[in-house]
């Protein structure tokens, strides 16, 4: 949360301008989404520590000189922070000023130093530490990192993650290429059946029907042959009524288009 943050309020950082609140909104959104995974287990103590530093960052934003009576600090940001803490870690105290949050961070830092027996710039296990140095001018926090230990750790990780090509990998790639080529050849040998469309007969036999029935021709496909069967449907059925209604609508539409065309001429 403190990446690129300027420790001097008179010299704002281009990575984190005082009026930019995207980190507050993004942090609250992430905690609302996955904060429940930090409420149990070994990581449940890390969330209160982070929220203490997060409140310090929030109040450093709110106390910036760019906010005044004309350009007020957005209320939604404070409401979002309070809702986030209430939802994920209700036991964390809400601070009401920048100085109060600074004192809370100092007390937390001293507590962690005593609890884990931390020495400045070094530790018992040899890993890099983040130490907090306080500026007497603006009570801001500067995070420093033991670069030498981190460089050694990165070099070890690079050695562990280095990929070594051996004979087993070559054999696997050869077998994979062979399997792919065999599958392609088998697909080429398969006979492709051409799709056959049903031919609609333009002329059909006339069938005598009653006045109460409507005659339809039903196309049936059996194997590769197409057969036509007559089908008598009562005139008062929904099928016949819908067809007649659709034909009438199409006829009226054609008449309308015809009339408009004649009027243009």
């Amino acid at each position: 949360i403190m990446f690129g943050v300027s420790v001097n309020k008179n010299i704002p950082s281009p990575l984190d301008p005082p009026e930019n609140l995207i980190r507050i909104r993004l942090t609250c959104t992430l905690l609302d989404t996955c904060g429940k995974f930090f409420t149990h287990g070994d990581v449940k103590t890390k969330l209160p520590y982070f929220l203490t530093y997060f409140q310090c960052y929030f109040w450093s934003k709110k106390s910036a000189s760019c906010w005044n009576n004309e350009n007020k600090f957005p209320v939604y940001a404070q409401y979002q922070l309070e809702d986030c803490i209430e939802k994920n870690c209700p036991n964390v105290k809400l601070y009401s000023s920048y100085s109060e949050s600074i004192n809370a961070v100092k007390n937390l830092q001293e507590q962690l130093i005593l609890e884990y027996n931390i020495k400045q710039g070094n530790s018992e296990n040899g890993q890099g530490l983040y130490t907090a140095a306080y500026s007497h001018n603006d009570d801001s926090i500067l995070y420093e990192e033991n670069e030498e230990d981190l460089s050694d750790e990165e070099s070890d990780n690079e050695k562990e993650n280095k990929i070594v090509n051996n004979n087993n990998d070559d054999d696997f790639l050869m077998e994979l290429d062979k399997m792919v080529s065999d599958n392609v050849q088998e697909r080429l040998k398969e006979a492709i059946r051409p799709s056959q469309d049903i031919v609609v007969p333009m002329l059909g036999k006339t069938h005598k029907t009653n006045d109460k029935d409507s005659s339809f021709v039903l196309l049936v496909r059996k194997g590769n042959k197409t057969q036509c069967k007559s089908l008598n449907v009562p005139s008062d059925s929904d099928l016949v009524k819908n067809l007649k209604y659709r034909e009438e609508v199409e006829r009226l539409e054609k008449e309308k288009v015809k009339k408009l065309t004649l009027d243009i001429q």
Side-chain angles (χ1 to χ4, degrees):
I1 194 67
M2 299 298 295
F3 176 77
V5 178
S6 176
V7 297
N8 190 352
K9 293 184 178 180
N10 297 325
I11 306 176
S13 172
L15 297 177
D16 187 45
E19 67 278 1
N20 191 347
L21 306 179
I22 185 62
R23 294 192 185 188
I24 296 176
R25 298 177 61 184
L26 180 60
T27 302
C28 292
T29 303
L30 289 174
L31 288 177
D32 290 340
T33 304
C34 56
K36 59 183 179 181
F37 298 103
F38 296 94
T39 57
H40 57 278
D42 297 335
V43 296
K44 65 180 180 180
T45 58
K46 295 182 180 181
L47 184 58
Y49 295 160
F50 173 77
L51 291 176
T52 302
Y53 285 95
F54 182 45
Q55 288 190 76
C56 181
Y57 172 79
F58 170 82
W59 281 105
S60 67
K61 285 285 188 179
K62 189 174 182 179
S63 60
S65 59
C66 62
W67 308 111
N68 48 40
N69 294 331
E70 296 180 356
N71 185 24
K72 295 184 178 181
F73 185 80
V75 181
Y76 74 85
Q78 185 166 358
Y79 289 161
Q80 193 173 13
L81 173 66
E82 294 175 357
D83 293 341
C84 177
I85 295 177
E86 181 67 24
K87 177 181 178 181
N88 296 285
C89 200
N91 296 328
V92 173
K93 180 181 178 181
L94 290 172
Y95 305 113
S96 57
S97 64
Y98 179 58
S99 59
E100 187 179 0
S101 62
I102 282 290
N103 293 331
V105 170
K106 289 181 179 180
N107 295 333
L108 176 60
Q109 194 73 29
E110 294 174 357
Q111 175 187 348
L112 294 176
I113 290 174
L114 294 176
E115 182 177 355
Y116 295 100
N117 193 18
I118 298 175
K119 296 180 181 180
Q120 185 174 0
N122 194 5
S123 64
E124 295 179 357
N125 55 6
Q127 296 180 354
L129 297 176
Y130 288 89
T131 59
Y134 302 98
S135 173
H136 298 286
N137 296 328
D138 55 359
D139 289 335
S140 57
I141 301 173
L142 174 64
Y143 290 89
E144 298 177 352
E145 187 176 0
N146 191 333
E147 297 179 355
E148 182 178 357
D149 293 338
L150 283 180
S151 61
D152 295 339
E153 184 178 354
E154 290 177 357
S155 61
D156 294 339
N157 292 333
E158 290 178 357
K159 292 179 181 179
E160 293 177 359
N161 296 330
K162 186 177 180 180
I163 300 175
V164 180
N165 293 327
N166 50 24
N167 296 330
N168 293 331
D169 294 337
D170 296 336
D171 295 339
F172 172 76
L173 293 176
M174 291 177 61
E175 293 294 333
L176 179 61
D177 293 338
K178 182 179 178 181
M179 182 180 64
V180 172
S181 61
D182 292 342
N183 290 334
V184 172
Q185 294 297 329
E186 290 179 0
R187 291 288 297 173
L188 293 176
K189 293 179 181 178
E190 293 180 358
I192 301 176
R193 297 180 180 178
S195 59
Q196 297 180 356
D197 297 331
I198 298 177
V199 180
V200 179
M202 300 301 295
L203 298 176
K205 297 181 180 180
T206 58
H207 300 278
K208 295 181 179 180
T209 58
N210 300 327
D211 296 337
K212 297 182 180 180
D213 296 337
S214 298
S215 179
F216 291 88
V217 177
L218 180 64
L219 294 178
V220 181
R221 182 174 180 179
K222 187 175 182 180
N224 295 329
K225 296 181 179 180
T226 303
Q227 298 179 358
C228 299
K229 293 185 178 181
S230 61
L231 180 65
N232 296 328
V233 180
S235 300
D236 56 350
S237 64
D238 294 337
L239 176 62
V240 177
K241 291 180 180 179
N242 291 332
L243 289 175
K244 289 183 178 180
Y245 175 75
R246 188 174 64 182
E247 291 177 356
E248 183 66 19
V249 171
E250 292 177 356
R251 187 186 65 80
L252 294 176
E253 184 68 22
K254 290 180 180 179
E255 291 292 336
K256 182 179 179 181
V257 174
K258 181 179 178 181
K259 183 179 179 181
L260 291 174
T261 305
L262 294 176
D263 292 341
I264 292 174
Q265 295 178 355

